Amino acid sequence: MSLTGETNTGVALWRRVADSIEQGIADGTYARDTRLPGELEIAEAHRVNRHTVRRALAALAERGLVRAERGSGTYVEVPPIAYPLRSRTRFSEIVGAGGQEAGGQLLSASIESAPRELAKRLALKADASLLRIDALRMANRIPICLGTTWLDANRFADGGRIYEKTRSMTKLLAHFGVRDYRREWTTVSAAIADAADAARLDLALGRPVLVADSLDTEPNGTPLLTTRARFAAERVQFVIENQ
């Protein structure tokens, strides 16, 4: 092994390891959403040191091909989820249509005073009481997005407990008699995940997120809820559909 970390062909050793793993992903040797062999096993198979393996895995992670899970290992990343933005946008339906299992976890529920912008958006009086729900949504147990949703606290009292039980915003609304609702609008922007969001989405610091702000209404146009969702950019592909 050369001191520069290159073979006699001039190809960096970490690149050769990365290319080998990528080929294994492509040909199915390493199936999607399965754990790769450990660093030591990869190092021995390629006759390199563990530092070289770490650099190869880091390069693959930067490209969205693998992900490291704390205390568990490195896993082959799943293809991005095609996520339509349309008048009927339901996380569980979208994930299920792709053959994956949707999951949800309530992170927190609280009552807060509505700032001017949210009060206007929800057609409420200034400083009205809002129910705030922070939740993590997953596909096959892989974190996909963090959502912060605000609803009228007077209309949806105890909504946090209902969401914790059902893990579904649709079921929460149905509990209060709302059988149908539609997406009025969605805006999308890009940002860098802050430390808290990166940890919950299992992203490396500095990775991008897609921020989707939206408003959902009843069929008659009455505002129901507004959400700010932060999606792991490498795990979703937004699809704009004509309506």
Side-chain angles (χ1 to χ4, degrees), residues 160-168:
R161 182 183 64 82
I162 302 302
Y163 187 90
E164 184 175 23
K165 180 180 179 180
T166 63
R167 301 180 183 181
S168 165

Side-chain angles (χ1 to χ4, degrees), residues 20-37 42 57 60-61 63-69 72-80 100 139-140 142 202 234-235:
S20 175
I21 295 172
E22 182 175 357
Q23 180 59 45
I25 294 172
D27 64 23
T29 300
Y30 303 128
R32 302 287 182 177
D33 202 27
T34 59
R35 189 166 66 88
L36 290 173
I42 295 174
L57 293 176
L60 293 172
R63 295 173 55 200
L65 295 176
V66 303
R67 70 181 188 279
E69 295 191 1
S72 179
T74 301
Y75 289 76
V76 180
E77 192 62 277
V78 296
Q100 301 188 56
N140 286 354
I142 299 172
D202 198 17
E234 58 213 39
R235 297 174 194 157

Side-chain angles (χ1 to χ4, degrees), residues 75-154:
Y75 289 76
V76 180
E77 192 62 277
V78 296
I81 295 172
Y83 199 94
L85 298 178
R86 55 195 179 201
S87 61
R88 183 180 174 86
T89 299
R90 309 287 190 268
F91 183 88
S92 296
E93 293 178 5
I94 290 170
V95 171
Q100 301 188 56
E101 180 183 358
Q105 176 187 348
L106 176 68
L107 300 176
S108 66
S110 60
I111 303 296
E112 61 184 35
S113 180
R116 184 185 302 273
E117 175 59 29
L118 291 185
K120 180 179 179 182
R121 191 180 299 175
L122 292 169
L124 299 173
K125 294 181 179 180
D127 296 325
S129 294
L130 296 182
L131 168 63
R132 171 176 171 158
I133 294 177
D134 288 283
L136 175 67
R137 305 307 305 271
M138 296 165 283
N140 286 354
R141 301 180 303 280
I142 299 172
I144 299 298
C145 77
L146 285 164
T148 301
T149 299
W150 293 271
L151 309 93
D152 181 356
N154 291 323

